Amino acid sequence: MPHQLSNSRASSTARAPRTPGVLTRFRTAAAATALGAAMLVPVAAAQSASAAITHVANPYVGATPFLNPDYVAEVNAQASADGGTTGATEAKVASNQTAIWMDHIGAIAGDSTHHGLQAQLDAAETQAAGSSTPVLFEVVIYDLPGRDCAALASNGEIPATAAGLTQYESQYIDPIAALLGNSKYSNLRISTIVEPDSLPNAVTNQSKPACATATPYYETGVEYTLNKLHAIGNVYTYLDIGHSGWLGWPSNMTPAAQEFAKVAKATTAGVASVDGFISDTANTTPTDEPFLPNSTLQVGGNPLDSVNFYQYNPFFDEHTYDEAMHAALVTAGFPSSVGMLIDTSRNGWGGSSRPTALNSTPTTAAAYVAANKIDQRPFRGDWCNVNGAGIGYRPTAQPYGASDPVIAYVWIKPPGESDGDYPSGTHTHGDPHCDPNGTQTDGNGGTYPTDAIPGYDIPAGNWFAAQFQQLVSNAYPALGASSGDTTPPSVPTGLKVTATTSSSVSLSWTASTDNVGVTGYNVYRGSTKVATVTGTSYADTGLAASTAYSYTVTAQDAAGNVSAASTAVTGTTTASSGDTTPPSVPTGLTVTGTTSSSVSLSWTASTDNVGVTGYNVYRGSTKVATVTGTSYTDTGLAASTAYSYTVTAQDAAGNVSAASTAVTGTTTAGGSGGAGCTAAYSISSDWGAGFNANVTVTNTGSTATKSWKVTWTWAGNQAITNMWNAVYTQTGTAVTANNAAYNNVIAPGGNTSFGFGANYSGTNTAPTLTCTAG
């Protein structure tokens, strides 16, 4: 499955941790066994299982999970074979719900050793007859035409053609919908994970011919699926949103939200046809990075997200990514009630390599990240049978409380089932990314190992004993912890400020108690979580001098329960009494682009003895923004108007530099009719031999665009290496970027964006862009 990752945001050669596509469940021949029931999610008020269940906001609350008997048999067979303490620990996995994958048409009917969909539903119905709470049934819908267009290990059976789409609808979706819609099962809560990896590929992989061909079938197929499933009252639909290492860059996140909204709005019920979204499906990106809560923290003069592992992606974990994506989806037109799921089946990263406390001693951003990240992959793009991964949090409803958009942790990828095999002399199918001896690149010249578990070549979905054993060994929380516990820890008490400086506030509190043990504390500055720590103290750094900050703390336990917040305390930083040296004055302030309503600026970074923390942008004498980077777009301006800008830099001690030399940006004339557009250019990162840039295309006309094109000519030797959200050609120094298939339409006054990575030597002068619209 094409989880794209690189500082190019969407390198076709660097796929981030695998999502469910990789789980082409060709399965094993383990004998099916009787299933048991276990209460894995908090239970609300009892509800009659025999009565039809109303469509609720969160189907995971108050539900009893259905356990897939095929997976239970796989786990129990492995636990029996290993025996002893190891086997006893492994057996605990079987009591956690995993999804049932409909990954090919034949899976609907099943085979001699694996239940078909009707048999699974009948078993769930039998369980519901003896349950006082609703039974939750999870199923993955995964067989689109041209499935996994950017991957090899999980390509599907249906071709990306008009005939393939007809086959998908009539032979796959229609039979599934008929079974799920049978009134016999109307008392079940049926959660459907709809076509993992499909729509994210439509956002980032249009430069791949297979993806460009498949995208229209993805969009039409998902639309058809949503129409069929939403019509069934007890079915819940969750669309896949990749993961933070794929769509986390802002230049990917916004187009992704727009793509999801485009497909949902095309359905009969519109955005109401989608109950929510799921991230990290069959992936290993951590749910939280407890010791790296601030991705822009400056260490050694560089933000943490600048290191190669993150490549300026601001989202290090799934929780922060899901919250940001939720906001982007709401902006795109979805209601705020849409819920977010996180697949935690393989993202625990426990074991001896997991950091247990913050290490604040490294003096460079790269060393700081290496010492403190729990994600132990050498490259964030590793996705196939990742070595060292562990089972994560158990399936849990509302892990962050009822007010957080994350409504549940789920296990969609069954732990222990292979992501895929690799080509060999006797076996040509497979994916090179699954080869333990293979390598992959990050799009910037960096080469990394695939990090697949060495010594194995196991087809997708087949049982992988060594992987299962490793996942259990590296589970976090450890599998000895109670997975059925729903009691949160006690509220932290005695929160107090123990010290302040001009740039920090130190806190301490009294430890909480819990029946299965407290695993950490979440520290909040206002409503923003700034850290998760294992001890009972924390120093919040990088603050402004002479400023009051409010703090609260919550406790969490090994089962994922979170306490209520502590009483708030206020810490006020002191006036700067030490460092009085301001940063150097920002230089090179230039206007990089204008539209009828905006002016884009960029400048050269300042230097400072204690580190620059931000830049203040002034329009005339009015401060319009404080940013951490070296670019800014001032929006909401009047057409055909000149605006003067200056920039100052500030440091961790609160010192502010003198103002830069002023520049003037003049907005273009407003659109008077028909189609028209402007393009604004900004550099998001530059490392001397290469850079990333973003281009914002704005419709200045009075009608929606049908197409758009941006052209420019480089003044130097810049050479584009890859581009996302647009299709480009470069001949010599001349570049043409045309709209992608999904972002050709821009409403009057609206905008879209694309980005690219490029190499150069010498100077890197910003080009003058020309935009034309059709």
Side-chain angles (χ1 to χ4, degrees), residues 73 82 135 186 313 618:
D82 291 338
V135 169
S186 62
N313 183 330
Y618 289 83

Side-chain angles (χ1 to χ4, degrees), residues 131-410:
S131 175
S132 61
T133 57
V135 169
L136 179 74
F137 186 93
E138 286 180 327
V139 61
V140 180
I141 309 299
Y142 182 55
D143 202 22
L144 272 173
R147 186 180 73 192
D148 265 1
C149 57
L152 296 174
S154 49
N155 289 159
E157 62 187 348
I158 302 176
T161 63
L165 179 63
T166 298
Q167 179 185 15
Y168 173 77
E169 294 174 349
S170 62
Q171 298 181 30
Y172 179 71
I173 293 300
D174 288 353
I176 289 176
L179 283 169
L180 299 183
N182 189 324
S183 60
K184 176 181 178 181
Y185 310 123
S186 62
N187 60 326
L188 302 176
R189 292 181 182 177
I190 302 174
S191 174
T192 59
I193 308 303
V194 178
E195 295 296 351
D197 282 355
S198 57
L199 298 182
N201 269 319
V203 176
T204 65
N205 282 314
Q206 292 306 290
S207 62
K208 283 180 166 287
C211 290
T213 299
T215 290
Y217 302 111
Y218 285 4
E219 293 174 336
T220 304
V222 171
E223 176 190 341
Y224 186 88
T225 300
L226 291 175
N227 277 330
K228 285 287 187 177
L229 298 182
H230 178 70
I232 307 169
N234 61 315
V235 168
Y236 300 80
T237 56
Y238 296 93
L239 294 181
D240 183 76
I241 55 170
H243 51 82
S244 57
W246 184 357
L247 299 181
W249 289 276
S251 55
N252 281 354
M253 182 176 290
T254 299
Q258 294 169 346
E259 172 71 8
F260 299 137
K262 170 187 172 182
V263 173
K265 290 175 181 178
T267 66
T268 303
V271 294
S273 66
V274 178
D275 289 283
F277 299 86
I278 180 168
S279 77
D280 222 25
T281 312
N283 198 346
T284 58
T285 302
T287 302
D288 291 288
E289 276 286 2
F291 308 118
L292 299 174
N294 180 3
S295 63
T296 60
L297 175 70
Q298 296 268 337
V299 177
N302 293 301
L304 298 184
D305 65 2
S306 69
V307 305
N308 285 340
F309 190 74
Y310 295 115
Q311 301 175 357
Y312 290 96
N313 183 330
F315 299 104
F316 292 1
D317 58 52
E318 292 307 289
H319 185 198
T320 57
Y321 167 69
D322 276 25
E323 290 179 328
M325 182 62 88
H326 181 268
L329 290 162
V330 172
T331 299
F334 288 96
S336 59
S337 59
V338 294
M340 313 298 282
L341 304 173
I342 301 175
D343 184 357
T344 59
S345 60
R346 301 190 304 174
N347 71 350
W349 292 106
S352 60
S353 297
R354 182 186 177 94
T356 57
L358 176 68
N359 182 349
S360 60
T361 59
T363 57
T364 67
Y368 190 97
V369 165
N372 289 292
K373 70 181 177 74
I374 65 170
D375 188 340
Q376 296 301 305
R377 291 172 293 179
F379 172 49
R380 208 177 182 198
D382 295 337
W383 59 265
C384 189
N385 299 327
V386 174
N387 197 21
I391 288 173
Y393 288 113
R394 316 304 175 253
T396 306
Q398 296 181 337
Y400 302 101
S403 62
D404 195 279
V406 176
I407 64 170
Y409 295 150
V410 292

Side-chain angles (χ1 to χ4, degrees), residues 8 38 111 126 146 170 175 195 218 307 327 409 417 455 461 527 533 548 587 615 645 653 671 702 733 744 762:
S8 68
D111 55 36
T126 299
S170 62
E195 295 296 351
Y218 285 4
V307 305
Y409 295 150
E417 293 189 351
S527 60
V533 298
T587 58
Y615 296 90
Y645 294 91
S702 59
T733 59
N744 59 308

Side-chain angles (χ1 to χ4, degrees), residues 555-731:
Q556 62 188 37
D557 67 14
N561 303 301
V562 180
S563 76
S566 68
T567 301
V569 297
T570 299
T572 303
T573 52
T574 62
S576 177
S577 58
D579 174 54
T580 59
T581 303
S584 64
V585 178
T587 58
L589 179 62
T590 58
V591 175
T592 57
T594 60
T595 70
S596 61
S597 61
S598 69
V599 173
S600 296
L601 307 164
S602 69
W603 55 92
T604 302
S606 298
T607 59
D608 186 74
N609 60 324
V610 297
V612 174
T613 59
Y615 296 90
N616 306 302
V617 182
Y618 289 83
R619 185 197 312 133
S621 60
T622 302
K623 185 168 75 170
V624 293
T626 297
V627 298
T628 56
T630 55
S631 63
Y632 175 70
T633 298
D634 191 20
T635 59
L637 306 179
S640 303
T641 304
Y643 294 91
S644 177
Y645 294 91
T646 55
V647 177
T648 64
Q650 62 188 34
D651 66 14
N655 302 301
V656 180
S657 75
S660 68
T661 301
V663 296
T664 298
T666 302
T667 53
T668 60
S672 57
C677 63
T678 58
Y681 174 94
S682 64
I683 293 177
S684 56
S685 60
D686 190 325
W687 51 95
F691 67 99
N692 286 328
N694 292 312
V695 177
T696 300
V697 179
T698 300
N699 182 356
T700 58
S702 59
T703 60
T705 63
K706 297 179 180 178
S707 63
W708 51 261
K709 177 175 68 176
V710 179
T711 60
W712 68 89
T713 300
W714 295 114
N717 62 358
Q718 295 94 331
I720 295 177
T721 56
N722 56 350
M723 184 175 288
W724 51 97
N725 302 331
V727 180
Y728 82 98
T729 59
Q730 179 171 353
T731 304

